[in-house]
Amino acid sequence: MDLEQAKDEFEKLLEQIDPAKSAEFILWIQRRYLTANCAGHQVAEAHHKMRQIAEYLRPIVPGNAVLPSENIIVPKKGENADCDPATTVHVDAFLYDDEAIDELVEEGKLSRSYCKACGSHDTAPLTFISHSASARRAEFIFREMVPYLKDKSVLDVGSRLGVMLYAAHAFTPANPIIGVEMNPDLCQIQETAIKHFHMEDRIKVINANVLTIPDIVASSDVVILNNVFEFFTPEPEQVALWQFLRRTIKKGAVLVTVPSLEDSLKNLQTGIVISEWVKQRYVTDPLAYSFVMDHEELTELCSYDVL
């Protein structure tokens, strides 16, 4: 069968598929054949590197990925106000993907539920939260949500363990890639990983409050805000931080946030009119969109062009 015959047969096959399932079928082809065989060794190497970094960091970081030097603030408003410390489990999504969590549960090192009345079968699910992005989320941002980053800079505000920095280094040519993190212990962990995996050529970590580096913020082409303030900063300081970002991020920059700006700002009196600041970007590739629909964590991602 020659190429033209193969095309004809493929189109005939598509015509036989329920239209509601055609996107899912194309996505399966992409995952089964294109990603595996046509994406090139660079993507495979990037995936492998991200896994290696996560495995390297696991013994360095506490199981819940919250350091003794951190002060976690439970939100009193919004969707995360139900994160009762007694029934909330911190599991870092970069260090432990779904498969790794399942292994921890099977080994008895982690539970998915708690007993509401000791000794009974009256149980309820624990609340799982992560202050880091997963490798899947970070990869999706840099492969599907931002423009080609040659000669462009990336800033991750509140870089924690550095997953966004590592993904930007692995999947893009961005330079420089800067993480700003207030906690010196988290900065040290990032520096250790960066040195171990030879990423000093493009990554830099700054131990500072983002308010003190306006020049870097103003020069950044992509700014990442992944669960950045809510669990770590009192509400009045959150207001000041958002107002600073509104004033400082340059026109034409791309802003990537989790959660959306609308959700982040709705309980804060910032005076920011979102429609005057940014215009939302959308994933238009049907295959990428289908991938989002398959993974709930990706539906939380939002990106914006700064006006």
Side-chain angles (χ1 to χ4, degrees), residues 247-266:
R247 293 191 307 269
T248 311
I249 297 175
K250 69 180 180 180
K251 179 180 179 180
V254 173
L255 190 58
V256 180
T257 74
V258 175
S260 67
L261 287 178
E262 290 78 6
D263 285 343
S264 295
L265 299 179
K266 67 183 179 182

Side-chain angles (χ1 to χ4, degrees), residues 46-92:
H47 281 294
H48 181 62
K49 187 172 188 177
M50 294 294 286
R51 286 194 297 270
Q52 283 186 312
I53 296 171
E55 291 170 1
Y56 173 78
L57 290 177
R58 282 178 195 167
I60 298 175
V61 179
N64 63 2
V66 177
L67 303 187
S69 55
E70 290 191 273
N71 179 33
I72 302 298
I73 301 172
V74 179
K76 296 180 179 179
K77 301 177 183 176
E79 294 182 5
N80 291 317
D82 63 346
C83 291
D84 181 349
T87 57
T88 298
V89 179
H90 297 255
V91 179
D92 191 274

Side-chain angles (χ1 to χ4, degrees), residues 4 10 28 41 93 117 119 179 199 224:
E4 292 306 316
F10 182 73
W28 174 79
H41 67 277
M199 296 181 285
I224 309 291

Side-chain angles (χ1 to χ4, degrees), residues 33-304:
Y33 296 101
L34 301 183
T35 301
N37 300 319
C38 303
H41 67 277
Q42 295 92 343
V43 172
E45 288 176 355
H47 281 294
H48 181 62
K49 187 172 188 177
M50 294 294 286
R51 286 194 297 270
Q52 283 186 312
I53 296 171
E55 291 170 1
Y56 173 78
L57 290 177
R58 282 178 195 167
I60 298 175
V61 179
N64 63 2
V66 177
L67 303 187
S69 55
E70 290 191 273
N71 179 33
I72 302 298
I73 301 172
V74 179
K76 296 180 179 179
K77 301 177 183 176
E79 294 182 5
N80 291 317
D82 63 346
C83 291
D84 181 349
T87 57
T88 298
V89 179
H90 297 255
V91 179
D92 191 274
F94 174 49
L95 301 186
Y96 299 95
D97 59 16
D98 292 341
E99 183 178 341
I101 290 175
D102 288 341
E103 290 177 2
L104 291 175
V105 172
E106 290 176 5
E107 294 169 2
K109 297 178 180 179
L110 186 67
S111 176
R112 293 188 183 276
S113 59
Y114 68 97
C115 181
K116 295 165 67 178
C118 189
S120 79
H121 295 285
D122 186 16
T123 62
L126 289 162
T127 300
F128 281 70
I129 63 170
S130 172
H131 300 301
S132 293
S134 67
R136 178 188 290 141
R137 177 182 285 179
E139 176 186 347
F140 189 83
I141 288 172
F142 291 110
R143 294 191 67 193
E144 303 291 351
M145 297 191 73
V146 298
Y148 184 57
L149 296 181
K150 183 174 175 57
D151 300 322
K152 301 293 184 180
S153 59
V154 172
L155 173 65
D156 183 23
V157 180
S159 51
R160 288 194 65 75
L161 299 181
V163 56
M164 292 295 180
L165 310 182
Y166 313 142
H169 191 278
F171 292 103
T172 82
N175 190 18
I177 301 164
I178 298 174
V180 57
E181 171 57 54
M182 290 181 61
N183 186 288
D185 296 329
L186 287 170
C187 289
Q188 183 58 52
I189 290 170
Q190 292 174 81
E191 294 283 7
T192 300
I194 291 165
K195 182 176 181 179
H196 184 82
F197 289 94
H198 310 293
M199 296 181 285
E200 308 100 314
D201 58 333
R202 291 188 284 134
I203 296 181
K204 179 180 180 181
V205 176
I206 300 173
N207 180 203
N209 186 317
V210 71
L211 294 172
T212 67
I213 56 167
D215 291 347
I216 291 175
V217 175
S219 65
S220 297
D221 297 299
V222 175
V223 179
I224 309 291
L225 302 168
N226 183 79
N227 294 325
V228 63
F229 301 134
E230 187 179 23
F231 281 89
F232 308 99
T233 311
E235 191 171 305
E237 293 181 30
Q238 291 184 49
V239 170
L241 285 161
W242 281 111
Q243 291 173 336
F244 165 78
L245 294 174
R246 169 67 177 93
R247 293 191 307 269
T248 311
I249 297 175
K250 69 180 180 180
K251 179 180 179 180
V254 173
L255 190 58
V256 180
T257 74
V258 175
S260 67
L261 287 178
E262 290 78 6
D263 285 343
S264 295
L265 299 179
K266 67 183 179 182
N267 293 312
L268 299 173
Q269 302 301 314
T270 63
I272 295 173
V273 179
I274 295 174
S275 61
E276 295 178 358
W277 181 21
V278 297
K279 179 180 180 180
Q280 188 162 359
R281 299 164 56 92
Y282 295 95
V283 174
T284 55
D285 182 332
L287 295 178
Y289 182 77
S290 296
F291 191 69
V292 170
M293 294 300 100
D294 284 348
H295 298 89
E296 184 178 356
E297 65 174 309
L298 301 182
T299 64
E300 300 173 332
L301 281 168
C302 293
S303 62
Y304 307 85

